[in-house]
Amino acid sequence: MTSRTTLRAAGLTLAVFLSLGASAAQAQGAKWGPRLGANLESDELLLGGQNTVPITPKLQFYPSHEIYLPDNGSLIGLNLDLKYFLSTPGAIRLYVGGGHNVLRASGGGAS
């Protein structure tokens, strides 16, 4: 993928998250939003989206999708995480979690 194609894919991903997430997420009490960040090891920008979908009062499904914007090639990530909230006094909500990450990288004709 070229940088222009990667940028278009990022825009499309963001549009899909914003359009599909709004009505379904609000109906189930879920929260969604765009992501903008940077990979500090490789100095790459990333665009994407994330959801928070309550399963129980203490357990949430937290999927996210990122499209990195490297100088050469492409890198796309999908995270499928769970958060488990610990019982804590006061307003602070601590949680533990984990999940699965899938990355697809391509560059120089290989992926």
Side-chain angles (χ1 to χ4, degrees):
M1 267 190 209
T2 65
S3 293
R4 179 175 279 166
T5 304
T6 303
L7 193 55
R8 275 188 280 210
L12 180 61
T13 298
L14 188 58
V16 167
F17 264 97
L18 293 175
S19 63
L20 294 179
S23 60
Q26 289 174 353
Q28 297 175 5
K31 298 176 185 173
W32 56 270
R35 276 178 103 129
L36 175 64
N39 182 335
L40 300 177
E41 292 180 5
S42 61
D43 294 329
E44 296 169 347
L45 292 176
L46 66 93
L47 298 172
Q50 64 190 31
N51 278 341
T52 299
V53 181
I55 297 171
T56 70
K58 288 190 159 204
L59 185 65
Q60 293 180 347
F61 178 51
Y62 186 71
S64 62
H65 179 248
E66 292 109 11
I67 296 176
Y68 294 82
L69 304 172
D71 291 334
N72 296 313
S74 68
L75 180 61
I76 298 172
L78 174 65
N79 303 295
L80 303 170
D81 300 325
L82 290 173
K83 292 180 183 179
Y84 180 78
F85 288 89
L86 304 172
S87 297
T88 55
I92 296 175
R93 293 189 71 195
L94 299 176
Y95 67 87
V96 295
H100 190 68
N101 172 264
V102 179
L103 287 175
R104 182 182 188 284
S106 67
S111 63

